[in-house]
Every structure is written in C-alpha cells, then in structure tokens.
Amino acid sequence: MDTEQSFNTDLAIEAVEVKELLEATPRDEMSGVETTTSEEEGVTISRVSIKTPAAEKAMNKAMGNYVNIEAAGLRDKDTELQDRVTEIVARELKELAGFNDQMELLVVGLGNWNVTPDSIGPKVVEDLVITRHLLQLVPDRLGPGFRSMAGMAPGVMGITGMETAEIIKGVVEQLKPSMILAIDALSARNLDRLNTTVQIADNGISPGSGVGNKRMGINEQTMGVPVIAMGVPTVVDAVTIVSDVLSKFDGSSNNQQNQNTDYNKFRLINETLSPYGGASNKLMVTPKEVDSFADDISEVLAGSINAAVHPRVSEEGSHKYL
C-alpha cells in the first residue's frame, strides 16, 4: 500500500509512528531516521532527525530536524501549562534557529485569516514585538535587549491571486533578511494532537501540503536564506478518521499482512467522501471550539517567538508584551 495515500499529516513524529506501525519500511531507510522523546512536567518533547535521501522518501518528509512539543492540557485553558509550553517552545526554537544580535528576522504568518483553522499564522504576527522599523528610526527609544524582527501575513492565492512564496520572495529581495520564520496551521493524523502540538523544523515548509493543496515551497532553496518553520495542527483528514474507526471496529491492524485490505478500505472511503472533497480537495475536520483554540495557541506561539528572539522579553516575561 502507498502509505502516502493512506494517511495525511504534517507532523514528522506521526510519519515515524505510521511507518513503525506498518512494519513495511526497509531497515536501510529507517536507519536514516533518528528519534528521541523526553517528558517535562506534562509536556512531551519528540525530536526527529531525517538524515538521508532514502529516509526522506520513506517518511515523505524533507531531510532536516523536527521538534514536536505536545501537551494535551492545552485544550483545557490551563494558564500555568500554557506558560510552561511557551517557555519550552521558546527554548527549542532558540536552539534550532540559533538567533543572534546581528540577525535580521522576517516572520511570515501563512494562511487565510478569514478561515479560523487556517488563521494561526496571521494571528501570531499580530501579537509579535515587531522592531525592525524602530531599530532603524529610533533605536535609542527602544532600548537594549531587542533584535530586528519584521512581520508579514501575505494571505493565500485565493485572496491575492499570487503564489504566496512569490510574494515572500519579493519581500526578501527588498528587506534582505538573514533568516525567515514561517508559521502555518498544519494537519495531523491523530485527533488528540489537534491544537495540542507545536512543531518546529529547520528545513522550511510547503504550505497546504497536509490538506492536498501543496504550493511552492518556502525554504532555503527558494528564498536564498535559512527558513525555520513553526506550526500547530488544526485539522484532520476525514478519510483518515473513518478508516481508523473501521479498523478498530473490525479488529484489523495496519501491518504488512493487511496492507491490501487497508488500501481497499481507504480507497472506498475516499470515493464515498468524494462529493464532499475527494482526493484532490480533501474533506478536513476541525473541533467546534476551534475559535478559542486558535486564539489560545496563537498566544503561545507569539509569546514563545517574542521570548526566543528578544532577550529583554525573555527576562521580563512574554505575557507583558501580548
């Protein structure tokens, strides 16, 4: 069975989990994938490193390093947990990106601000401590402890009529940043990870890939500067949900012996749901509380970015600037 067809996820840790479940990936391909997991006071931190072209193909994920920070309690409006996750995300982002005082950072909030599950990127940009213009015009008034950060929310092709990556590239050519931080809503395979997991990656992002609407990549190859990607899953493919439920109901398992059965089941479900989306325009599911979730997780992301980029925000606390 083509595993790329059997599940849809932007999360590297889920790609690893599915490959291990299928028990169908050759050892030489999996040898190029390294994973570690740790726990910190109710927060699970998973690190996935994809090191070889064979592993990249097997995982259907670009080579690079991925960090997943997961806390189920984020759905419960636990402010102490939100603060703890903000600190952990800031620490992991700082470590992966290697921010310094000489950098010129451009933060790009990807997504459609008119569609709540896809509005994470623009919402985060609204809460950032943007400083590029102040450092250029009134640096003395800003004070120490702040680095150069610009932000933009370029929208989506359906609004602008332009490829998002082309808009960003035009801005990059004018601003000449030393690094891009791209933020986007993601898709997950597991419902438990919706609005509870933050993924950070050092290899850029392909907007819309998780919902079958892959656009031009935003990465170092296309932009000419390093691109760090951050995102939170807000949707799950309906076909995946139904397939998982049926597998549990009839007692089947996704191993090598049952791959043909699982593939036929997946294809039948996909055909049944085709009037509502189909293979080229997938039917995605999101929780009814998505408005509240989007606001809460956007604050966590914005707070972590502010703290990771600006030493003064880190010292004084990110909530002072939200």
Side-chain angles (χ1 to χ4, degrees):
M1 178 176 62
D2 184 351
T3 57
E4 183 177 352
Q5 290 182 305
S6 66
F7 70 95
N8 296 281
T9 180
D10 286 315
L11 301 180
I13 188 62
E14 290 192 335
V16 172
E17 290 170 352
V18 170
K19 285 294 181 179
E20 291 175 346
L21 185 64
L22 288 171
E23 299 175 352
T25 307
R27 287 190 176 183
D28 61 333
E29 294 179 1
M30 288 301 290
S31 66
V33 180
E34 295 181 2
T35 62
T36 61
T37 303
S38 60
E39 298 279 342
E40 290 188 27
E41 301 180 83
V43 181
T44 302
I45 304 170
S46 303
R47 295 179 174 85
V48 178
S49 182
I50 300 176
K51 296 179 173 294
T52 66
E56 176 181 78
K57 183 177 180 180
M59 295 294 105
N60 193 34
K61 292 285 177 285
M63 284 191 293
N65 300 297
Y66 301 80
V67 181
N68 287 117
I69 300 101
E70 183 176 356
L74 284 176
R75 289 181 176 175
D76 301 327
K77 287 190 174 295
D78 184 335
T79 55
E80 290 186 5
L81 179 60
Q82 287 178 344
D83 290 344
R84 190 155 63 248
V85 171
T86 298
E87 292 176 1
I88 293 173
V89 173
R91 181 192 71 202
E92 296 296 332
L93 175 60
K94 197 159 32 175
E95 182 176 334
L96 200 63
F99 297 136
N100 58 64
D101 292 341
Q102 287 72 46
M103 72 173 187
E104 296 278 342
L105 179 65
L106 172 62
V107 182
V108 180
L110 300 168
N112 187 342
W113 48 78
N114 295 317
V115 180
T116 303
D118 197 30
S119 65
I120 299 291
K123 283 179 178 290
V124 171
V125 171
E126 287 181 0
D127 288 330
L128 293 180
V129 181
I130 299 298
T131 55
R132 179 179 180 271
H133 59 308
L134 298 176
L135 288 171
Q136 290 181 343
L137 301 174
V138 287
D140 295 336
R141 187 178 302 176
L142 188 61
F146 291 97
R147 294 165 174 159
S148 177
M149 178 162 64
M152 64 179 294
V156 294
M157 183 179 287
I159 294 175
T160 66
M162 296 177 283
E163 184 80 55
T164 302
E166 293 175 345
I167 298 173
I168 299 170
K169 190 171 181 62
V171 174
V172 168
E173 291 173 353
Q174 292 296 316
L175 264 61
K176 296 181 171 50
S178 56
M179 181 180 293
I180 296 171
L181 173 58
I183 306 155
D184 200 7
L186 308 177
S187 71
R189 184 179 189 277
N190 189 332
L191 281 168
D192 292 337
R193 287 196 167 102
L194 291 189
N195 304 287
T196 66
T197 303
V198 178
Q199 176 167 276
I200 311 171
D202 64 1
N203 54 10
I205 193 169
S206 295
S209 59
V211 295
N213 188 28
K214 191 172 182 179
R215 314 305 309 178
M216 175 181 173
I218 300 168
N219 49 49
E220 187 167 5
Q221 289 70 38
T222 58
M223 298 294 129
V225 296
V227 179
I228 303 295
M230 287 183 71
V232 175
T234 59
V235 295
V236 176
D237 182 7
V239 175
T240 302
I241 297 175
V242 177
S243 180
D244 285 352
V245 170
L246 290 179
S247 294
K248 291 179 180 179
F249 180 77
D250 62 21
S252 65
S253 58
N254 280 335
N255 55 32
Q256 183 73 34
Q257 183 178 359
N258 292 314
Q259 282 191 69
N260 289 333
T261 301
D262 288 339
Y263 175 72
N264 290 332
K265 183 190 305 176
F266 178 85
R267 186 175 59 182
L268 177 61
I269 297 167
N270 196 59
E271 290 174 356
T272 302
L273 292 177
S274 61
Y276 308 98
S280 62
N281 188 20
K282 298 181 182 298
L283 176 64
M284 310 305 294
V285 178
T286 193
K288 63 183 178 63
E289 304 91 349
V290 65
D291 301 79
S292 176
F293 289 154
D295 289 339
D296 290 345
I297 202 65
S298 295
E299 283 193 9
V300 170
L301 292 186
S304 65
I305 295 170
N306 288 332
V309 172
H310 303 302
R312 185 167 169 182
V313 175
S314 180
E315 293 170 3
E316 297 180 356
S318 60
H319 283 296
K320 180 179 178 180
Y321 295 87
L322 289 177

